[in-house]
């Protein structure tokens, strides 16, 4: 495989297309092959949304298709376990749902009561063949992070029907989405389901989709405005706006700090459609945040939620002017190194770049070093977070897919 490297990118972005390709080795790491999930055709691992090395002994992979967590042993490549959100977790979560929609929702949607579970299952979940059909009501896994090196915290959500009275006086049923946390033991895969607070009206914040980040005893979760701009104006609500991320306790309660910025109406719509990625900062009081549509990283102070936005190298910023750049996969490695992936679509051609920099000790800046284009032979599926692995912590790892042999883990050598 060839990676195209041009150190002049940081100074001369115009050379991006014409820089001379240099062979940079991608060497197989200790794990050579990532075994696919082959339980059934529907659970074959087709795409990767997140990956990390834990305790040197486990490669954790969150599948985007389907929504599963695959745990692969680094000592025995054919040993793997699979976690998915199943019907038992769903029933436990349903029992914790409020009997009526919370006040902060009902003031907008009207009063509504929870549909009985047996009726819901009969109408929506039981297929004609008698088997339990999850459909789109539960099972999504938005992200995970590691706690104490032996526990995973997964963010998921469920959709559940509530029945109310319409303005015409007729009964009507609508589905409401509730975010939840699932705490999982790495050793046994035993878990408990914890309901997340649906939001906080005072600080105008509700959780949103995206990866999560465990920092200094709390969990940071993507968030957005509970009441949108038009709704705040309509209801004459004097509330803050522009929420980005919020700090939660491990039992799912908002813990005060919200990392927030003001946005225009157009930016607000783009933000809601964007994906948010979070990873460890340079120490326990800092966090790195990436919004998929912005060619930048946010360096967040997890004490109060304040942050400083640092633009990516100019070569990536210029390509983002076309609106065709998607930023993702921030990972920390090598003690203070930060790497992330940028996908660039020019016409019908999809190009993938890895951007690498150093997180400075002041928590306020990043010194960018490399903009590296990944070659066309094997496609990069995901960068791998190695910060929880003493053995691999110094390495930049990625999961690549070979068209003939499938996905594998490899060490990316940039220097």
């Amino acid at each position: 495989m060839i990676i195209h490297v041009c150190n002049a990118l940081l100074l001369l972005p115009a050379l991006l297309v014409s820089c001379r390709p240099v062979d940079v080795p991608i060497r197989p790491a200790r794990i050579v092959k990532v075994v696919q999930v082959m339980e059934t055709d529907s659970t074959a691992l087709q795409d990767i949304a997140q990956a990390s090395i834990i305790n040197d002994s486990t490669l954790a992979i969150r599948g985007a298709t389907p929504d599963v967590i695959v745990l692969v042993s680094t000592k025995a490549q054919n040993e793997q376990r699979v976690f998915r959100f199943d019907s038992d977790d769903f029933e436990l979560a349903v029992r914790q749902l409020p009997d009526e929609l919370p006040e902060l929702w009902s003031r907008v949607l009207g009063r509504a009561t929870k549909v009985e579970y047996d009726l819901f299952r009969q109408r929506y979940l039981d297929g004609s063949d008698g088997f339990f059909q999850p459909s789109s009501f539960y099972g999504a896994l938005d992200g995970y992070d590691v706690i104490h090196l032996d526990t995973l915290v997964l963010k998921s959500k469920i959709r559940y029907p509530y029945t109310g009275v319409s303005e015409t006086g007729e009964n009507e049923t609508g589905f409401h989405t509730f975010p939840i946390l699932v705490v999982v033991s790495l050793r046994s895969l035993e878990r408990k389901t914890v309901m997340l607070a649906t939001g906080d009206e005072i600080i105008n914040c509700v959780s949103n989709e995206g990866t999560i980040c465990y920092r200094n005893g709390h969990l940071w979760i993507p968030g957005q405005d509970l009441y949108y701009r038009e709704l705040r104006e309509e209801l004459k609500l004097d509330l803050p706006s522009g929420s980005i991320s919020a700090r939660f306790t491990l039992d799912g309660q908002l813990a005060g700090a919200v990392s927030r910025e003001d946005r225009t109406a157009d930016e607000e719509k783009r933000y809601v459609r964007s994906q948010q990625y979070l990873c460890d900062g340079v120490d326990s009081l800092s966090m790195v945040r990436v919004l998929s549509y912005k060619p930048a990283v946010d360096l967040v102070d997890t004490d109060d939620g304040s942050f400083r936005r640092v633009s990516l190298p100019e070569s990536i910023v210029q390509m983002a002017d076309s609106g065709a750049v998607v930023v993702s996969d921030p990972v920390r490695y090598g003690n203070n190194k930060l790497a992330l992936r940028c996908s660039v679509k020019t016409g019908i051609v999809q190009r993938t770049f890895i951007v690498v920099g150093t997180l400075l000790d002041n928590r306020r800046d990043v010194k960018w070093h490399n903009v590296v284009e990944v070659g066309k032979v094997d496609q990069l599926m995901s960068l791998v977070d190695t910060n929880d692995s003493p053995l691999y912590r110094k390495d930049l790892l990625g999961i690549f897919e070979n068209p003939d042999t499938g996905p594998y883990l490899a060490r990316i050598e940039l220097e």
Side-chain angles (χ1 to χ4, degrees):
M1 179 184 297
I2 293 177
I3 288 185
H4 300 278
V5 182
C6 185
N7 292 328
L9 286 178
L10 302 184
L11 299 177
L12 299 172
L15 294 179
L16 178 64
V17 176
S18 60
C19 69
R20 183 171 61 87
V22 178
D23 289 349
V24 176
I26 294 181
R27 298 191 308 176
R30 185 165 295 185
I31 310 163
V32 177
K33 188 175 182 181
V34 177
V35 183
Q36 290 189 337
V37 185
M38 298 299 291
E39 294 183 358
T40 67
D41 290 341
S42 63
T43 58
L45 191 61
Q46 302 173 33
D47 200 4
I48 296 175
Q50 186 180 356
S52 61
I53 295 282
I54 305 169
N55 285 337
D56 301 338
S57 60
T58 302
L59 171 63
I61 301 172
R62 177 168 65 90
T65 310
D67 289 287
V68 294
I69 301 289
V70 184
L71 302 175
V72 183
S73 171
T74 63
K75 300 176 180 177
Q77 297 176 31
N78 292 325
E79 289 185 11
Q80 66 171 11
R81 296 173 295 157
V82 178
F83 172 87
R84 60 173 52 79
F85 192 58
D86 60 26
S87 59
D88 290 339
D89 297 305
F90 180 73
E91 292 181 31
L92 178 60
V94 168
R95 288 200 294 269
Q96 299 179 59
L97 292 176
D99 292 331
E100 293 188 355
L101 281 184
E103 180 67 27
L104 46 81
W105 291 112
S106 61
R107 69 180 298 181
V108 177
L109 303 175
R111 298 287 178 184
T113 57
K114 182 170 66 173
V115 171
E116 291 289 338
Y117 178 73
D118 290 342
L119 179 61
F120 167 68
R121 177 165 181 162
Q122 178 183 352
R123 287 184 177 178
Y124 300 102
L125 295 185
D126 287 341
S128 57
D129 55 4
F131 289 99
F132 195 64
Q133 304 293 329
S135 185
S136 61
F137 301 111
Y138 75 91
L141 294 174
D142 297 331
Y144 74 83
D145 205 359
V146 182
I147 297 178
H148 309 313
L149 299 180
D150 61 1
T151 303
L152 291 180
V153 176
L154 315 176
K155 183 173 180 293
S156 182
K157 57 181 175 289
I158 62 176
R159 294 175 63 242
Y160 201 82
Y162 280 72
T163 299
V165 179
S166 68
E167 294 180 355
T168 61
E170 299 178 353
N171 289 335
E172 61 180 7
T173 299
F175 284 88
H176 191 71
T177 300
F178 292 86
I180 62 173
L181 293 177
V182 185
V183 180
V184 180
S185 165
L186 274 174
R187 176 175 297 183
S188 64
L189 290 189
E190 294 180 355
R191 67 273 217 183
K192 63 178 180 178
T193 304
V194 181
M195 288 301 307
L196 268 183
T198 56
D200 190 305
E201 187 173 27
I202 296 176
I203 62 175
N204 189 30
C205 182
V206 63
S207 66
N208 193 15
E209 294 185 11
T211 60
I212 59 181
C213 188
Y214 178 72
R215 297 268 77 190
N216 201 31
H218 290 86
L219 199 62
W220 281 85
I221 297 176
Q224 68 182 58
D225 295 340
L226 174 62
Y227 299 110
Y228 295 110
R229 186 179 306 270
E230 294 83 358
L231 190 56
R232 292 196 302 273
E233 294 174 353
E234 178 183 337
L235 298 176
K236 296 181 173 57
L237 298 175
D238 183 18
L239 294 174
S241 64
S243 57
I244 294 180
S245 311
R247 187 173 64 190
F248 284 77
T249 63
L250 288 180
D251 60 356
Q253 300 302 309
L254 274 165
V258 174
S259 186
R260 180 193 307 273
E261 71 168 345
D262 292 327
R263 296 186 301 273
T264 66
D266 289 340
E267 287 176 330
E268 190 172 55
K269 294 176 182 178
R270 290 186 70 191
Y271 170 74
V272 172
R273 292 194 301 266
S274 74
Q275 183 79 0
Q276 184 175 144
Y277 301 87
L278 306 173
C279 77
D280 294 349
V282 73
D283 56 30
S284 63
L285 291 176
S286 62
M287 178 177 68
V288 177
R289 174 176 57 212
V290 170
L291 303 179
S292 61
Y293 72 96
K294 284 187 175 293
V297 297
D298 293 341
L299 304 180
V300 182
D301 185 329
T302 59
D303 185 44
D304 59 10
S306 61
F307 68 93
R308 181 173 184 268
R309 180 158 291 163
V310 180
S311 295
L312 295 186
E314 185 61 28
S315 55
I316 296 295
V317 173
Q318 286 190 357
M319 286 186 287
D321 291 340
S322 66
V325 173
V326 177
V327 187
S328 65
D329 292 23
V331 297
R332 209 184 103 192
Y333 76 101
N335 186 38
N336 60 354
K337 294 292 192 302
L338 173 69
L340 50 87
R341 176 170 66 167
C342 293
S343 299
V344 182
K345 188 172 184 180
T346 55
I348 61 173
V349 178
Q350 184 81 22
R351 305 168 66 187
T352 300
F353 296 84
I354 298 174
V355 182
V356 175
T358 298
L359 292 164
L360 302 188
D361 291 340
N362 61 9
R363 309 179 192 163
R364 302 286 295 170
D365 210 349
V366 181
K367 181 180 180 181
W368 300 115
H369 302 300
N370 296 85
V371 177
V372 180
E373 182 172 7
V374 178
K376 310 277 185 197
V377 179
D378 292 353
Q379 297 299 314
L380 175 65
M381 301 182 74
S382 176
L383 293 177
V384 179
D385 192 334
T386 61
N387 201 42
D388 291 318
S389 168
L391 180 62
Y392 291 102
R393 185 173 294 155
K394 66 181 183 302
D395 297 321
L396 176 58
L397 302 182
I399 297 178
F400 294 82
E401 184 171 36
N402 182 279
D404 298 322
T405 60
Y408 61 92
L409 181 68
R411 180 180 292 108
I412 303 170
E413 297 183 339
L414 300 179
E415 300 174 352

